[in-house]
PDB file of all heavy atoms in Angstrom:
ATOM      1  N   LEU A  44      25.322  24.488  23.930  1.00 93.00           N
ATOM      2  CA  LEU A  44      25.470  24.130  22.527  1.00 93.00           C
ATOM      3  C   LEU A  44      24.212  23.369  22.149  1.00 93.00           C
ATOM      4  O   LEU A  44      23.908  22.326  22.728  1.00 93.00           O
ATOM      5  CB  LEU A  44      26.718  23.267  22.320  1.00 93.00           C
ATOM      6  CG  LEU A  44      27.069  22.937  20.880  1.00 93.00           C
ATOM      7  CD1 LEU A  44      27.545  24.192  20.148  1.00 93.00           C
ATOM      8  CD2 LEU A  44      28.145  21.865  20.826  1.00 93.00           C
ATOM      9  N   GLU A  45      23.460  23.887  21.199  1.00 92.00           N
ATOM     10  CA  GLU A  45      22.178  23.302  20.802  1.00 92.00           C
ATOM     11  C   GLU A  45      22.262  22.697  19.413  1.00 92.00           C
ATOM     12  O   GLU A  45      22.882  23.275  18.518  1.00 92.00           O
ATOM     13  CB  GLU A  45      21.094  24.386  20.775  1.00 92.00           C
ATOM     14  CG  GLU A  45      20.789  25.019  22.109  1.00 92.00           C
ATOM     15  CD  GLU A  45      19.971  24.133  23.011  1.00 92.00           C
ATOM     16  OE1 GLU A  45      19.247  23.259  22.495  1.00 92.00           O
ATOM     17  OE2 GLU A  45      20.066  24.319  24.226  1.00 92.00           O
ATOM     18  N   VAL A  46      21.638  21.548  19.234  1.00 90.00           N
ATOM     19  CA  VAL A  46      21.451  20.991  17.891  1.00 90.00           C
ATOM     20  C   VAL A  46      20.246  21.709  17.299  1.00 90.00           C
ATOM     21  O   VAL A  46      19.204  21.836  17.942  1.00 90.00           O
ATOM     22  CB  VAL A  46      21.189  19.468  17.938  1.00 90.00           C
ATOM     23  CG1 VAL A  46      20.912  18.935  16.545  1.00 90.00           C
ATOM     24  CG2 VAL A  46      22.362  18.745  18.561  1.00 90.00           C
ATOM     25  N   ILE A  47      20.405  22.197  16.075  1.00 90.00           N
ATOM     26  CA  ILE A  47      19.298  22.872  15.400  1.00 90.00           C
ATOM     27  C   ILE A  47      19.134  22.256  14.016  1.00 90.00           C
ATOM     28  O   ILE A  47      19.919  21.408  13.612  1.00 90.00           O
ATOM     29  CB  ILE A  47      19.537  24.400  15.297  1.00 90.00           C
ATOM     30  CG1 ILE A  47      20.806  24.703  14.501  1.00 90.00           C
ATOM     31  CG2 ILE A  47      19.611  25.031  16.680  1.00 90.00           C
ATOM     32  CD1 ILE A  47      21.025  26.178  14.212  1.00 90.00           C
ATOM     33  N   GLY A  48      18.135  22.657  13.296  1.00 87.00           N
ATOM     34  CA  GLY A  48      17.956  22.186  11.921  1.00 87.00           C
ATOM     35  C   GLY A  48      17.199  20.876  11.826  1.00 87.00           C
ATOM     36  O   GLY A  48      16.408  20.510  12.690  1.00 87.00           O
ATOM     37  N   SER A  49      17.488  20.139  10.767  1.00 87.00           N
ATOM     38  CA  SER A  49      16.709  18.947  10.428  1.00 87.00           C
ATOM     39  C   SER A  49      16.764  17.864  11.503  1.00 87.00           C
ATOM     40  O   SER A  49      15.809  17.114  11.668  1.00 87.00           O
ATOM     41  CB  SER A  49      17.172  18.365   9.087  1.00 87.00           C
ATOM     42  OG  SER A  49      18.528  17.973   9.151  1.00 87.00           O
ATOM     43  N   HIS A  50      17.864  17.790  12.234  1.00 83.00           N
ATOM     44  CA  HIS A  50      17.959  16.758  13.272  1.00 83.00           C
ATOM     45  C   HIS A  50      17.003  17.033  14.439  1.00 83.00           C
ATOM     46  O   HIS A  50      16.561  16.099  15.099  1.00 83.00           O
ATOM     47  CB  HIS A  50      19.401  16.613  13.767  1.00 83.00           C
ATOM     48  CG  HIS A  50      20.247  15.862  12.799  1.00 83.00           C
ATOM     49  ND1 HIS A  50      20.398  14.501  12.837  1.00 83.00           N
ATOM     50  CD2 HIS A  50      20.976  16.282  11.735  1.00 83.00           C
ATOM     51  CE1 HIS A  50      21.182  14.112  11.847  1.00 83.00           C
ATOM     52  NE2 HIS A  50      21.539  15.179  11.174  1.00 83.00           N
ATOM     53  N   THR A  51      16.683  18.282  14.694  1.00 83.00           N
ATOM     54  CA  THR A  51      15.729  18.581  15.771  1.00 83.00           C
ATOM     55  C   THR A  51      14.285  18.413  15.301  1.00 83.00           C
ATOM     56  O   THR A  51      13.403  18.187  16.114  1.00 83.00           O
ATOM     57  CB  THR A  51      15.914  20.014  16.316  1.00 83.00           C
ATOM     58  OG1 THR A  51      15.702  20.942  15.256  1.00 83.00           O
ATOM     59  CG2 THR A  51      17.284  20.202  16.904  1.00 83.00           C
ATOM     60  N   ARG A  52      14.072  18.555  13.998  1.00 82.00           N
ATOM     61  CA  ARG A  52      12.719  18.418  13.448  1.00 82.00           C
ATOM     62  C   ARG A  52      12.417  17.003  12.995  1.00 82.00           C
ATOM     63  O   ARG A  52      11.355  16.731  12.447  1.00 82.00           O
ATOM     64  CB  ARG A  52      12.552  19.381  12.272  1.00 82.00           C
ATOM     65  CG  ARG A  52      12.602  20.849  12.654  1.00 82.00           C
ATOM     66  CD  ARG A  52      12.270  21.746  11.467  1.00 82.00           C
ATOM     67  NE  ARG A  52      13.107  21.487  10.307  1.00 82.00           N
ATOM     68  CZ  ARG A  52      14.276  22.073  10.063  1.00 82.00           C
ATOM     69  NH1 ARG A  52      14.757  22.946  10.903  1.00 82.00           N
ATOM     70  NH2 ARG A  52      14.951  21.784   8.974  1.00 82.00           N
ATOM     71  N   GLU A  53      13.408  16.107  13.183  1.00 79.00           N
ATOM     72  CA  GLU A  53      13.287  14.717  12.745  1.00 79.00           C
ATOM     73  C   GLU A  53      13.021  14.613  11.255  1.00 79.00           C
ATOM     74  O   GLU A  53      12.263  13.772  10.788  1.00 79.00           O
ATOM     75  CB  GLU A  53      12.221  13.985  13.567  1.00 79.00           C
ATOM     76  CG  GLU A  53      12.582  13.907  15.041  1.00 79.00           C
ATOM     77  CD  GLU A  53      11.588  13.099  15.855  1.00 79.00           C
ATOM     78  OE1 GLU A  53      10.674  12.485  15.278  1.00 79.00           O
ATOM     79  OE2 GLU A  53      11.748  13.098  17.079  1.00 79.00           O
ATOM     80  N   THR A  54      13.684  15.513  10.491  1.00 86.00           N
ATOM     81  CA  THR A  54      13.566  15.470   9.036  1.00 86.00           C
ATOM     82  C   THR A  54      14.928  15.203   8.387  1.00 86.00           C
ATOM     83  O   THR A  54      15.074  15.356   7.174  1.00 86.00           O
ATOM     84  CB  THR A  54      12.987  16.790   8.483  1.00 86.00           C
ATOM     85  OG1 THR A  54      13.818  17.879   8.904  1.00 86.00           O
ATOM     86  CG2 THR A  54      11.556  17.006   8.959  1.00 86.00           C
ATOM     87  N   ALA A  55      15.915  14.803   9.188  1.00 87.00           N
ATOM     88  CA  ALA A  55      17.247  14.516   8.657  1.00 87.00           C
ATOM     89  C   ALA A  55      17.193  13.285   7.756  1.00 87.00           C
ATOM     90  O   ALA A  55      16.434  12.348   8.003  1.00 87.00           O
ATOM     91  CB  ALA A  55      18.232  14.285   9.798  1.00 87.00           C
ATOM     92  N   ILE A  56      18.014  13.310   6.715  1.00 87.00           N
ATOM     93  CA  ILE A  56      18.081  12.208   5.769  1.00 87.00           C
ATOM     94  C   ILE A  56      19.444  11.540   5.905  1.00 87.00           C
ATOM     95  O   ILE A  56      20.482  12.205   5.807  1.00 87.00           O
ATOM     96  CB  ILE A  56      17.859  12.698   4.327  1.00 87.00           C
ATOM     97  CG1 ILE A  56      16.463  13.319   4.215  1.00 87.00           C
ATOM     98  CG2 ILE A  56      18.038  11.558   3.333  1.00 87.00           C
ATOM     99  CD1 ILE A  56      16.195  13.982   2.888  1.00 87.00           C
ATOM    100  N   ARG A  57      19.428  10.232   6.135  1.00 87.00           N
ATOM    101  CA  ARG A  57      20.651   9.458   6.317  1.00 87.00           C
ATOM    102  C   ARG A  57      21.639   9.724   5.178  1.00 87.00           C
ATOM    103  O   ARG A  57      21.256   9.747   4.016  1.00 87.00           O
ATOM    104  CB  ARG A  57      20.308   7.965   6.376  1.00 87.00           C
ATOM    105  CG  ARG A  57      21.512   7.090   6.705  1.00 87.00           C
ATOM    106  CD  ARG A  57      21.157   5.624   6.716  1.00 87.00           C
ATOM    107  NE  ARG A  57      20.069   5.367   7.638  1.00 87.00           N
ATOM    108  CZ  ARG A  57      19.303   4.280   7.610  1.00 87.00           C
ATOM    109  NH1 ARG A  57      19.497   3.357   6.716  1.00 87.00           N
ATOM    110  NH2 ARG A  57      18.332   4.126   8.478  1.00 87.00           N
ATOM    111  N   TYR A  58      22.890   9.935   5.544  1.00 83.00           N
ATOM    112  CA  TYR A  58      24.014  10.167   4.643  1.00 83.00           C
ATOM    113  C   TYR A  58      24.004  11.541   3.965  1.00 83.00           C
ATOM    114  O   TYR A  58      24.963  11.902   3.306  1.00 83.00           O
ATOM    115  CB  TYR A  58      24.144   9.091   3.561  1.00 83.00           C
ATOM    116  CG  TYR A  58      24.160   7.683   4.067  1.00 83.00           C
ATOM    117  CD1 TYR A  58      23.252   6.750   3.604  1.00 83.00           C
ATOM    118  CD2 TYR A  58      25.090   7.278   5.031  1.00 83.00           C
ATOM    119  CE1 TYR A  58      23.264   5.444   4.067  1.00 83.00           C
ATOM    120  CE2 TYR A  58      25.105   5.976   5.496  1.00 83.00           C
ATOM    121  CZ  TYR A  58      24.193   5.070   5.015  1.00 83.00           C
ATOM    122  OH  TYR A  58      24.203   3.776   5.477  1.00 83.00           O
ATOM    123  N   HIS A  59      22.942  12.310   4.074  1.00 84.00           N
ATOM    124  CA  HIS A  59      22.866  13.582   3.355  1.00 84.00           C
ATOM    125  C   HIS A  59      22.743  14.795   4.269  1.00 84.00           C
ATOM    126  O   HIS A  59      23.225  15.868   3.908  1.00 84.00           O
ATOM    127  CB  HIS A  59      21.700  13.567   2.365  1.00 84.00           C
ATOM    128  CG  HIS A  59      21.872  12.578   1.275  1.00 84.00           C
ATOM    129  ND1 HIS A  59      22.725  12.779   0.201  1.00 84.00           N
ATOM    130  CD2 HIS A  59      21.342  11.348   1.094  1.00 84.00           C
ATOM    131  CE1 HIS A  59      22.690  11.724  -0.582  1.00 84.00           C
ATOM    132  NE2 HIS A  59      21.856  10.841  -0.064  1.00 84.00           N
ATOM    133  N   SER A  60      22.092  14.656   5.397  1.00 86.00           N
ATOM    134  CA  SER A  60      21.879  15.808   6.268  1.00 86.00           C
ATOM    135  C   SER A  60      23.066  16.011   7.189  1.00 86.00           C
ATOM    136  O   SER A  60      23.507  15.081   7.864  1.00 86.00           O
ATOM    137  CB  SER A  60      20.610  15.605   7.115  1.00 86.00           C
ATOM    138  OG  SER A  60      19.474  15.569   6.298  1.00 86.00           O
ATOM    139  N   ASP A  61      23.569  17.242   7.192  1.00 88.00           N
ATOM    140  CA  ASP A  61      24.620  17.550   8.149  1.00 88.00           C
ATOM    141  C   ASP A  61      23.967  17.893   9.486  1.00 88.00           C
ATOM    142  O   ASP A  61      22.747  17.964   9.593  1.00 88.00           O
ATOM    143  CB  ASP A  61      25.508  18.689   7.655  1.00 88.00           C
ATOM    144  CG  ASP A  61      24.727  19.972   7.375  1.00 88.00           C
ATOM    145  OD1 ASP A  61      23.503  20.013   7.571  1.00 88.00           O
ATOM    146  OD2 ASP A  61      25.369  20.948   6.964  1.00 88.00           O
TER     147      ASP A  61
END
Side-chain angles (χ1 to χ4, degrees):
L44 186 69
E45 296 285 335
V46 176
I47 60 173
S49 61
H50 283 270
T51 60
R52 294 187 305 271
E53 297 184 7
T54 57
I56 299 173
R57 186 182 304 161
Y58 308 124
H59 295 284
S60 295
D61 58 1

